[in-house]
Amino acid sequence: MLRSFLLPLLALLLGFNAPAALAADIPPDVLARTTTQEVITILKQDKDLQRGDLTRVHQLVEAKILPNFDFNRMTQLALGKHWSRATAKQKQELVTEFRNLLVRTYSSSLTAFTDQTIDFKPFAMKPADTDVTVRSEIRQPGGQPIPINYSFYKTAFGWKVYDVTIDGVSLITNYRSSFASTIRQSGIDGLIKTLATQSARGTAPPAAGNGS
C-alpha cells in the first residue's frame, strides 16, 4: 500500500520550478498545496503521461522532483545506525542508488494516477520552526480517505521533504527495515549491489510490511 499511494508526494514535488530565492521564502504548506494542484492539472492534460509513457515520466521525475529532495538526509535516515559504518565511497553509492529507487517508485505512482483528489489540513507554523509536518488526505472514488503527512525541514535553499508518512507508515522507516535486513545478510556492499541490480531491471524493492 505504501508504494501505491506515493502519488501525492510526487504531485507535491513535481512542477515546482520557482527561482531558488523565491522558493526559499515559500512556506511548506503553500508549497505543498499550490504545486499539488498544478501537477494534478498537468496529469489530466498530458496525454503521454496518461498513456504511461515511461520516457516522459522519467524526464519529468528527473527534471522536477530531484531538486526538492534531500537525498543525503533521506539515505542517512533510511540506513540508520548502519550509515556511520559505511565508507565515504559506500555512502556516495548508497545515496545514488536510493535516489534511483525513489525515481522508479515515483514514476510508477505517476503512471497510476486516475481520479484521486487531495485535501490539505489546516496548518500552523511558528517563525522559528525548522522541522514541520504538512498533513493531507488523498480521496479516491469508492475508497476511504488515506492520510498523507509530509515531513519538511528548512534549509538554506528552502523547505525540503525528507520523509512521507502514508496511513501511519513512514517511507523512511519502512525502507530502514528492508535495508537493515539486507545488510544483516550481505553487508553494506550487498545492499548497494541489490539496489543496483534492481535499478538495472527497472524495479523497486517492496517496503517491509506494506502489504502489497
Side-chain angles (χ1 to χ4, degrees):
M1 180 174 65
L2 180 63
R3 182 178 176 184
S4 302
F5 294 104
L6 280 169
L7 176 65
L9 179 62
L10 178 61
L12 164 66
L13 297 171
L14 272 169
F16 187 74
N17 203 22
L22 177 60
D25 296 329
I26 297 179
D29 62 318
V30 175
L31 175 63
R33 188 185 305 273
T34 58
T35 58
T36 296
Q37 186 55 53
E38 289 174 2
V39 170
I40 288 176
T41 299
I42 292 172
L43 294 175
K44 290 180 179 179
Q45 296 176 347
D46 192 311
K47 301 302 182 183
D48 290 334
L49 292 177
Q50 292 172 15
R51 287 192 295 265
D53 185 333
L54 290 180
T55 299
R56 171 67 171 150
V57 171
H58 284 292
Q59 286 174 347
L60 282 171
V61 172
E62 290 284 350
K64 303 295 185 178
I65 279 188
L66 302 189
N68 297 283
F69 276 100
D70 185 337
F71 284 105
N72 284 287
R73 182 171 185 180
M74 293 180 75
T75 307
Q76 182 175 353
L77 290 173
L79 265 290
K81 64 181 181 182
H82 301 289
W83 178 257
S84 62
R85 303 172 187 173
T87 66
K89 181 175 182 293
Q90 287 174 325
K91 288 178 180 178
Q92 182 178 4
E93 293 174 339
L94 286 164
V95 171
T96 297
E97 295 303 336
F98 192 57
R99 171 187 179 277
N100 292 338
L101 164 63
L102 293 179
V103 167
R104 297 193 305 276
T105 300
Y106 300 143
S107 295
S108 175
S109 296
L110 181 58
T111 60
F113 177 79
T114 53
D115 298 320
Q116 296 95 336
T117 60
I118 301 171
D119 177 30
F120 284 91
K121 302 304 180 182
F123 176 80
M125 181 179 70
K126 298 177 182 178
D129 285 345
T130 58
D131 194 311
V132 300
T133 300
V134 176
R135 293 177 170 81
S136 70
E137 284 184 343
I138 181 170
R139 299 178 180 273
Q140 52 187 352
Q144 293 293 320
I146 300 169
I148 312 286
N149 296 337
Y150 309 110
S151 296
F152 283 87
Y153 85 114
K154 193 172 187 178
T155 75
F157 305 100
W159 290 92
K160 302 290 184 181
V161 174
Y162 67 89
D163 195 11
V164 56
T165 301
I166 303 173
D167 203 13
V169 181
S170 160
L171 176 73
I172 293 299
T173 300
N174 254 5
Y175 280 124
R176 183 183 298 154
S177 176
S178 175
F179 290 174
S181 177
T182 301
I183 290 172
R184 284 195 298 270
Q185 295 175 13
S186 52
I188 292 175
D189 283 334
L191 173 60
I192 295 170
K193 182 178 179 180
T194 296
L195 292 175
T197 299
Q198 290 164 340
S199 180
R201 294 174 180 171
T203 61
N210 65 0
S212 60

